[in-house]
Amino acid sequence: VYGVFQDKTGRLWAGSSDKGVNYKKSGQFYTLTKQEGLSSEAVVSISESPDGALWFATLGGGIDRYKNGRMEIFDRQRGLASNFYRVVMTDAKGETWAGSVEGNIYRWVNDTFTLVADVNSRVNTLHKDTKGVLWAGTFDSGLCRIDVSLGKVEVFDMKKGLSNDTVLCIHEDERQPGLLWVGTGSGLNRFREGKFSLLRKKNGLPDDTVYWILEDHKNDFWISSNRGIYRLKRKDFEDFFNGNVTAVQPSLYGKENG
């Protein structure tokens, strides 16, 4: 299962490695496949734009737009440089972005995808922060800051203090806008004012791999890892990064918890 997503009507959508897109409506599950117009049945990321269109990032078929029951495909034949995409994202202003396996980053403008930058590495995740800055998490080039107007890329990698050049997720702190949390295969990185600080397994995390971060109404973090899902309380990780404690005590929910 990839790219679980809830649209504005409350329907749940989930991509897959080879079974298309599944969605739940009125208590029943339905499936979109090539028979319904999908370009590829490997769908790994899903997003929704303000006009109600759903966007599917596929491995092999480009980017699909599903609106009013009609599927439209954007691929190499439509001007894209690649047919392989790991992420499609719609930001707070309603703009849709996509990142390819080859490192191309596109913005949807005037009914077409326009190339804005090339990070020269597989794009795993994208994030537009509250200041309007676009960030890309890559397979082997770390965290990239994109100047969309100039197409310039600033790289923050292991040479600049990041724990691992493979970035799996980016989360902006809801309590402290501008502060980024960067999940890697080597722990959780705090990125503040251009500097990284690291929390990892030796400091109490159940696992060093951080796939995704969700912040709840208490501003605690829920993190997915190779050992399951765990909750990291706000006070716990703030105490660690402020130097008040040397380890955190997360609550782990794995197979034994159902």
Side-chain angles (χ1 to χ4, degrees):
V1 177
Y2 293 94
V4 177
F5 179 80
Q6 186 174 31
D7 68 23
K8 61 184 179 183
T9 68
R11 289 181 300 181
L12 288 175
W13 299 77
S16 67
S17 60
D18 59 359
K19 302 295 182 183
V21 178
N22 299 280
Y23 66 96
K24 187 178 182 181
K25 182 180 179 181
S26 302
Q28 292 188 328
F29 282 97
Y30 301 88
T31 304
L32 296 177
T33 64
K34 284 186 175 181
Q35 189 172 350
E36 286 74 36
L38 273 180
S39 62
S40 166
E41 293 183 359
V43 177
V44 294
S45 179
I46 303 171
S47 186
E48 182 181 20
S49 50
D51 63 357
L54 287 166
W55 297 89
F56 306 132
T58 78
L59 295 176
I63 304 165
D64 296 352
R65 180 173 65 171
Y66 186 61
K67 184 179 180 182
N68 299 327
R70 178 175 176 266
M71 196 78 69
E72 188 173 5
I73 298 170
F74 300 89
D75 54 14
R76 295 185 68 176
Q77 293 183 357
R78 296 286 299 272
L80 297 181
S82 172
N83 284 344
F84 293 81
Y85 293 82
R86 297 287 304 184
V87 58
V88 61
M89 178 270 294
T90 301
D91 65 26
K93 291 186 176 181
E95 289 189 310
T96 297
W97 308 78
S100 76
V101 169
E102 289 82 2
N104 299 306
I105 296 176
Y106 290 91
R107 176 171 58 178
W108 178 252
V109 181
N110 297 326
D111 293 328
T112 189
F113 278 105
T114 301
L115 180 67
V116 296
D118 184 355
V119 297
N120 296 310
S121 177
R122 187 179 80 194
V123 181
N124 288 332
T125 187
L126 292 168
H127 175 73
K128 189 86 166 291
D129 70 20
T130 51
K131 295 180 180 179
V133 177
L134 182 66
W135 299 87
T138 71
F139 178 70
D140 57 9
S141 291
L143 178 69
C144 297
R145 186 182 191 274
I146 315 297
D147 186 326
V148 175
S149 61
L150 299 177
K152 291 185 177 180
V153 179
E154 184 177 5
V155 176
F156 298 89
D157 55 13
M158 292 178 67
K159 295 176 182 178
K160 295 186 178 180
L162 183 65
S163 65
N164 191 311
D165 283 339
T166 299
V167 172
L168 303 173
C169 65
I170 304 168
H171 174 74
E172 185 171 7
D173 198 293
E174 294 179 9
R175 185 177 286 184
Q176 303 178 64
L179 189 157
L180 298 181
W181 297 92
V182 183
T184 72
S186 301
L188 175 65
N189 296 258
R190 184 185 69 174
F191 187 60
R192 186 173 66 178
E193 298 177 354
K195 295 182 179 180
F196 290 102
S197 302
L198 178 64
L199 174 60
R200 59 188 311 172
K201 187 175 180 180
K202 69 178 183 180
N203 307 117
L205 293 186
D207 182 64
D208 267 337
T209 301
V210 176
Y211 288 114
W212 199 251
I213 304 165
L214 178 68
E215 189 169 346
D216 67 18
H217 66 286
K218 295 181 179 179
N219 298 112
D220 294 340
F221 286 172
W222 293 82
I223 296 175
S224 61
S225 73
N226 286 325
R227 290 196 59 203
I229 298 170
Y230 58 91
R231 181 179 66 178
L232 195 57
K233 290 186 176 181
R234 166 71 55 167
K235 185 179 186 305
D236 207 10
F237 65 76
E238 283 190 346
D239 280 346
F240 173 80
F241 283 106
N242 289 332
N244 299 326
V245 297
T246 58
V248 295
Q249 297 180 337
S251 300
L252 177 65
Y253 303 89
K255 289 183 178 180
E256 62 275 13
N257 304 108

